[in-house]
C-alpha cells in the first residue's frame, strides 16, 4: 500500500554520503524533502541533483532538509557527486542514501515494478515537522522534475500550515491567497488585516501573509 497524504512518514536508518543517519533525527524539527532517482551516472538524474544542489540554499531558507535516495552504493554516490559538482558547478552538501538493500525504496514504495523491476522511480515526498506526509509526486525515469515547482509547493504547504488559507491555480510566492471557507467574513477581516476581496461567497482572496 502506497504512503498517502496525512500518513506518518516511516522512520529508517540508512548509510549515506554524510555517514549513517536516522531519518527522524536528521530531520529534527525541519521539513523533509525526500527524493528518489533511478540511478547514479545517468543523465537526467545528474541534471536533477545538480539543480537540487544549486537550490539547496532556498530549501534551507525554508527550514527544509533534502535527502536523495537510489539503490546505488555509497561508493558510487561519492564518485557521481564529483561529476555533479563539476557539471552543475555546485556543491552537493545533502545526503545521498545508498539503498542497496531497498529498505527506504520499499518503505516509501519507490520501486514500481511495471516501470522498472530494479530502479526507483522519481518520487518526491515532502514531510512536515510533525513527520506527516504533506505532498507526493511521482515521475517516470525519462522525465526530469521541476524543482521550482517543488519549492513553490513547499511555500504553499508552509503557508497553509500556518494560516487559514489555500493557494489558487498557478499561485506563486507573493501572490494573493484564498481565505479558507471555514473562516467567517468577520473573522477573515480580523485575521487578514491587509484586506479581503470577495469574488463569490466561497471565493475570497487576501494578500499573502508573511512566510517566515
Ligand atoms: C536518466 O537519469 O537519464 C535516466 C535514468 C534511468 C532511465 C532513464 C533515464
Amino acid at each position: 500500500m502506497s504512503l498517502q497524504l496525512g500518513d506518518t512518514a516511516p522512520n529508517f536508518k540508512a548509510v549515506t554520503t554524510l555517514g549513517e543517519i536516522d531519518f527522524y533525527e536528521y530531520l529534527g524539527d525541519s521539513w523533509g524533502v525526500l527524493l528518489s532517482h533511478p540511478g547514479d551516472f545517468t543523465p537526467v538524474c545528474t541534471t536533477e541533483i545538480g539543480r537540487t544542489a544549486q537550490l539547496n540554499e532556498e530549501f534551507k531558507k525554508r527550514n527544509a532538509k533534502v535527502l536523495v535516495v537510489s539503490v546505488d552504493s555509497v561508493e558510487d554516490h561519492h564518485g557521481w557527486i564529483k561529476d555533479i559538482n563539476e557539471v552543475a558547478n555546485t556543491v552537493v552538501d545533502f545526503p545521498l542514501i545508498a539503498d542497496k538493500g531497498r529498505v527506504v525504496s520499499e518503505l516509501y514504495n519507490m520501486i514500481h515494478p511495471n516501470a522498472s523491476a530494479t530502479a526507483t522511480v522519481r518520487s518526491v515526498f515532502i514531510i512536515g515537522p510533525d513527520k506527516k506526509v504533506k505532498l507526493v509526486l511521482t515521475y517516470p525515469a525519462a522525465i526530469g522534475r521541476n524543482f521550482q515547482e517543488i519549492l513553490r509547493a513547499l511555500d504553499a504547504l508552509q503557508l497553509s500550515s500556518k494560516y487559514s488559507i489555500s493557494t489558487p491555480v498557478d499561485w506563486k510566492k507573493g501572490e494573493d491567497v484564498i481565505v479558507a471557507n471555514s473562516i467567517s467574513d468577520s473573522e477573515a477581516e480580523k485575521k487578514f488585516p491587509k484586506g479581503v476581496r470577495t469574488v463569490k461567497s466561497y471565493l475570497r482572496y487576501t494578500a499573502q501573509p508573511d512566510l517566515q
Side-chain angles (χ1 to χ4, degrees):
M1 173 81 174
S2 293
L3 279 174
Q4 297 186 329
L5 302 184
D7 289 353
T8 298
N11 194 21
F12 55 81
K13 289 187 179 13
V15 173
T16 82
T17 47
L18 299 185
E20 253 190 66
I21 62 158
D22 173 287
F23 184 48
Y24 278 14
E25 276 178 20
Y26 183 76
L27 289 181
D29 293 330
S30 300
W31 290 68
V33 181
L34 181 63
L35 307 163
S36 62
H37 68 274
D40 294 358
F41 302 104
T42 53
V44 178
C45 301
T46 301
T47 62
E48 281 194 333
I49 308 310
R51 176 68 77 247
T52 310
Q54 291 166 348
L55 291 174
N56 201 23
E57 282 308 309
E58 293 298 320
F59 286 105
K60 288 179 188 171
K61 273 189 217 161
R62 291 159 174 82
N63 188 31
K65 290 186 177 173
V66 173
L67 300 96
V68 171
V69 56
S70 72
V71 296
D72 298 282
S73 68
V74 76
E75 293 78 17
D76 278 352
H77 281 343
H78 280 299
W80 184 43
I81 283 174
K82 288 189 196 140
D83 285 358
I84 298 169
N85 288 346
E86 179 198 323
V87 168
N89 190 24
T90 189
V91 177
V92 172
D93 64 352
F94 43 80
L96 270 60
I97 297 168
D99 194 34
K100 280 200 84 81
R102 298 184 179 196
V103 172
V104 180
S105 314
E106 283 174 13
L107 270 177
Y108 282 80
N109 240 294
M110 291 162 164
I111 295 182
H112 296 197
N114 291 324
S116 163
T118 52
T120 40
V121 294
R122 297 186 196 281
S123 300
V124 181
F125 289 89
I126 299 185
I127 295 155
D130 58 0
K131 307 292 182 290
K132 302 287 184 201
V133 175
K134 305 295 183 186
L135 179 140
V136 181
L137 288 170
T138 310
Y139 276 55
I143 308 302
R145 289 160 286 194
N146 182 327
F147 283 76
Q148 293 295 347
E149 166 57 12
I150 296 171
L151 281 173
R152 188 199 73 89
L154 183 58
D155 284 337
L157 287 166
Q158 293 187 340
L159 271 176
S160 73
S161 74
K162 198 166 168 193
Y163 301 100
S164 302
I165 62 97
S166 42
T167 53
V169 60
D170 295 340
W171 175 85
K172 289 191 290 302
K173 190 175 176 182
E175 294 179 351
D176 288 355
V177 297
I178 291 175
V179 177
N181 282 337
S182 55
I183 305 286
S184 70
D185 285 343
S186 59
E187 270 179 286
E189 295 293 343
K190 280 188 222 132
K191 273 184 183 265
F192 302 108
K194 292 177 186 170
V196 175
R197 178 167 58 89
T198 302
V199 176
K200 294 280 177 193
S201 58
Y202 55 84
L203 177 58
R204 297 167 300 171
Y205 289 92
T206 189
Q208 183 209 291
D210 291 338
L211 241 176
Q212 262 81 38

